[in-house]
Amino acid sequence: MTNIEQDRWSRVKGRLRSSVGEDVYSSWFARMDLESVQPESVHLSVPTRFLKSWIQTHYSDRVLSCWQAEMPQVHRVDLTVRTAMRCAAPAKDAPAHAEPRRDDGRPAPELRATAIAPVSATHEALGGSPLDPRLTFGSFVIGRSNTLAHAAARQVAEGRRGDPVMFNPLYIHSGVGLGKTHLLQAVTWAGNSGTERKVLYLTAEKFMYGFVAALKSQTALAFKEALRGIDVLVIDDLQFLQGKTTQAEFCHTLNALIDAGRQVVIAADRPPSDLESLDERVRSRLAGGLVVEMASLGEDLRLGILKSRVTAARAHHASFDVPLPVLEYLARTITHNGRDLEGAINRLLAHSKLNAQPVTLEMAEREIRDLVRPQEPKRIKIEDIQRVVARQYNVSRSDLLSSRRTANVVRPRQVAMYLAKTLTLRSLPEIGRRFGGRDHTTVLHAVRKIEGLVAKDTALSDEVELLKRQLQE
Ligand code: ADP
Ligand code: MG
């Protein structure tokens, strides 16, 4: 290549860089090379097929016009993949995470087989979050509140490479401690125990820091390419995903994986429509698969979980036993979440070991006193508010969302917005969206209006109280 051509190419790259910005440039164009220049066409190359198709679909006009600015007669840019420069495959069999430990700190040999099988270098290289060897399908107790989520997760876990994907993404949401992480890790363990598929489990934070770190160390492409080697991407606690760049990247990743027929599994503490920090397109893509909610654990399920925890503990501590009445007492009194159930068993175990005493009801009552907190406030949903208010005022839910302004609809609508603001953590814009796409100022107006009226009008104040009570029950 002549010096003139090299200079031109540098100037074209300079134009491209200032036109798309440094981030985009370094993600997509940093490894684009000039192969040859003809009078009317230019031949460029990139190292991967993915890059090629991404640049073609998103930036081909941009690239062409940057060339035309230097060489007006160019009317075609050819882009090919440099096969000789394919990235080296990631090294195999690097250890993925520390050996599982049992409570007393010694390695748990019986868990080794499961712990080592799924280890993939990719999982490690991408900062795959550590997996807890206890969180498998085998230890997951099925009950009314999680049957559907469990069935869907199983289905995903049993899929094979190349199978058509049934629901994508699978999106599981629930309050804290109800088994989301357990299910997601079960999917990861199960999927990786065959050698055929790669399942990567990331918390949203790992996705964020992994990506940001990769960008900083200039390996954003390596990160993206490695992600593309994943058959199933599992992301936990999506509600923590923050930051514009990360979200744009999440959006690209999600689209690329789904379009390529790869499975995506997501858990969050709220439904996709309530992920306020994500943009509308991402939310609707998330809602486009299967969205399953897990309700709070019923007493039966709590008892089942306690029993399975005791059985697991007995594998290491043969003398540990918890009489059924104690388990029933725990299931009845610890109503919050699975974490407290686990904590309760751990305490009984510790206590009975340290004092070499059998577990009794009296001891259990003493040990778990602080876990018995008043019932956690219920998660109230905007839909529930709309339903209850509509019923109370004898209008339909669609009336509440409509643009009708007749008095019999306006007041209930304002009350519903007021309740949405006071009983949920949703922001004004979000509430506006959920009320037929209204502006946040309209919501603010409604909230102030009802606040003002409630202070003066006892009849309305009683009505509102009644509605609150119905919703909180
Ligand atoms: P989340 O991610 O929804 O906050 P986790 O998956 O971390 O909840 O669950 C909290 C604890 O409760 C874990 O120890 C988990 O194993 C246990 N747990 C929750 N649901 C179940 C279940 N259905 N079967 C067995 N254990 C469960
Ligand atoms: Mg979790």
Side-chain angles (χ1 to χ4, degrees):
M1 203 172 304
T2 65
N3 283 346
I4 298 176
E5 281 171 358
Q6 280 299 358
D7 283 354
R8 264 197 197 122
W9 175 223
S10 304
R11 284 199 299 275
V12 170
K13 283 193 287 189
R15 284 177 186 278
L16 205 48
R17 180 181 272 132
S18 51
S19 133
V20 298
E22 190 58 46
D23 277 0
V24 171
Y25 183 87
S26 63
S27 294
W28 306 115
F29 300 107
R31 286 152 75 197
M32 185 160 79
D33 285 345
L34 176 62
E35 296 289 327
S36 64
V37 184
Q38 308 297 323
E40 297 188 342
S41 69
V42 176
H43 179 188
L44 303 173
S45 70
V46 283
T48 67
R49 279 192 18 226
F50 174 74
L51 267 182
K52 177 186 161 197
S53 70
W54 188 269
I55 293 172
Q56 275 174 337
T57 47
H58 295 83
Y59 298 104
S60 58
D61 292 346
R62 198 83 69 110
V63 175
L64 179 61
S65 64
C66 289
W67 271 103
Q68 286 172 335
E70 293 296 327
M71 290 175 64
Q73 69 277 30
V74 168
H75 65 255
R76 201 180 78 224
V77 174
D78 295 323
L79 189 60
T80 57
V81 179
R82 299 190 289 274
T83 42
M85 288 219 15
R86 275 278 156 76
C87 295
K92 295 224 171 61
D93 50 57
H97 45 77
E99 208 158 81
R101 307 230 148 225
R102 41 203 258 190
D103 299 354
D104 54 10
R106 283 181 290 142
E110 64 276 29
L111 293 171
R112 284 189 58 171
T114 30
I116 286 173
V119 173
S120 85
T122 325
H123 200 266
E124 174 77 339
L126 290 173
S129 305
L131 299 175
D132 182 337
R134 294 171 308 177
L135 303 183
T136 61
F137 281 121
S139 61
F140 191 82
V141 183
I142 305 163
R144 204 152 47 95
S145 59
N146 60 26
T147 314
L148 182 57
H150 171 266
R154 261 237 111 93
Q155 171 92 34
V156 164
E158 283 163 7
R160 302 161 67 94
R161 173 169 284 173
D163 278 0
V165 176
M166 289 247 291
F167 17 77
N168 213 2
L170 168 61
Y171 186 108
I172 297 173
H173 66 103
S174 78
V176 74
L178 302 184
K180 298 183 293 297
T181 296
H182 192 140
L183 262 190
L184 261 52
Q185 296 209 0
V187 168
T188 313
W189 285 118
N192 275 330
S193 55
T195 48
E196 203 195 359
R197 289 209 303 177
K198 285 213 190 82
V199 185
L200 178 68
Y201 171 88
L202 292 174
T203 59
E205 280 169 314
K206 280 277 179 182
F207 182 87
M208 234 149 65
Y209 298 132
F211 180 68
V212 171
L215 258 187
K216 285 200 179 123
S217 63
Q218 301 280 307
T219 57
L221 280 178
F223 181 78
K224 284 175 187 147
E225 272 152 25
L227 265 186
R228 269 164 206 104
I230 302 297
D231 296 293
V232 183
L233 178 66
V234 180
I235 298 195
D236 202 354
D237 287 325
L238 188 69
Q239 73 274 8
F240 294 130
L241 196 78
Q242 276 160 5
K244 273 259 174 289
T245 325
T246 318
Q247 288 184 15
E249 202 43 49
F250 173 71
C251 180
H252 290 162
T253 307
L254 190 69
N255 287 336
L257 289 173
I258 293 179
D259 294 344
R262 309 288 170 69
Q263 178 74 54
V264 178
V265 184
I266 285 169
D269 70 351
R270 59 197 82 172
S273 54
D274 288 2
L275 288 169
E276 294 172 27
S277 63
L278 289 184
D279 93 35
E280 184 54 44
R281 279 168 312 165
V282 184
R283 276 184 282 166
S284 67
R285 186 98 213 211
L286 289 173
L290 177 66
V291 177
V292 194
E293 176 171 16
M294 288 201 283
S296 46
L297 308 168
E299 193 170 325
D300 286 358
L301 189 49
R302 297 200 293 269
L303 186 60
I305 293 175
L306 287 165
K307 284 180 178 165
S308 98
R309 289 284 162 174
V310 172
T311 311
R314 280 171 61 91
H316 307 297
H317 310 278
S319 63
F320 181 58
D321 193 20
V322 184
L324 187 60
V326 175
L327 291 177
E328 285 169 343
Y329 163 75
L330 296 177
R332 207 166 47 240
T333 35
I334 304 177
T335 52
H336 306 284
N337 67 49
R339 244 161 256 172
D340 288 349
L341 295 174
E342 188 185 6
I345 297 296
N346 287 343
R347 281 192 205 179
L348 297 186
L349 177 62
H351 190 87
S352 78
K353 289 236 113 181
L354 291 173
N355 302 314
Q357 277 173 0
V359 175
T360 62
L361 195 55
E362 200 203 338
M363 160 192 165
E365 278 173 357
R366 216 175 35 240
E367 284 303 307
I368 65 147
R369 202 173 300 147
D370 63 307
L371 292 178
V372 186
R373 279 172 274 155
Q375 183 82 40
E376 225 167 77
K378 208 176 116 191
R379 246 196 340 163
I380 296 172
K381 293 186 228 151
I382 290 183
E383 290 86 78
D384 296 335
I385 294 175
Q386 291 168 341
R387 191 170 38 76
V388 169
V389 170
R391 193 178 53 204
Q392 179 80 9
Y393 289 97
N394 207 11
V395 294
S396 72
R397 191 171 158 252
S398 54
D399 283 334
L400 293 180
L401 306 191
S402 74
S403 52
R404 287 182 48 209
R405 296 175 150 282
T406 47
N408 69 325
V409 186
V410 169
R411 179 55 45 84
R413 185 185 292 137
Q414 289 175 331
V415 168
M417 289 182 187
Y418 165 81
L419 290 172
K421 187 62 202 152
T422 45
L423 299 178
T424 74
L425 295 172
R426 305 294 158 241
S427 65
L428 294 173
E430 174 65 15
I431 294 170
R433 263 201 297 282
R434 306 284 291 280
F435 276 82
R438 293 183 147 75
D439 193 71
H440 71 99
T441 52
T442 311
V443 182
L444 184 61
H445 173 75
V447 172
R448 296 225 169 110
K449 177 91 191 173
I450 300 300
E451 269 169 3
L453 287 175
V454 161
K456 293 180 294 202
D457 178 344
T458 41
L460 181 70
S461 141
D462 288 350
E463 258 171 51
V464 168
E465 271 316 302
L466 183 71
L467 286 166
K468 278 191 185 168
R469 230 173 305 140
Q470 283 180 37
L471 284 159
Q472 277 160 342
E473 250 156 35

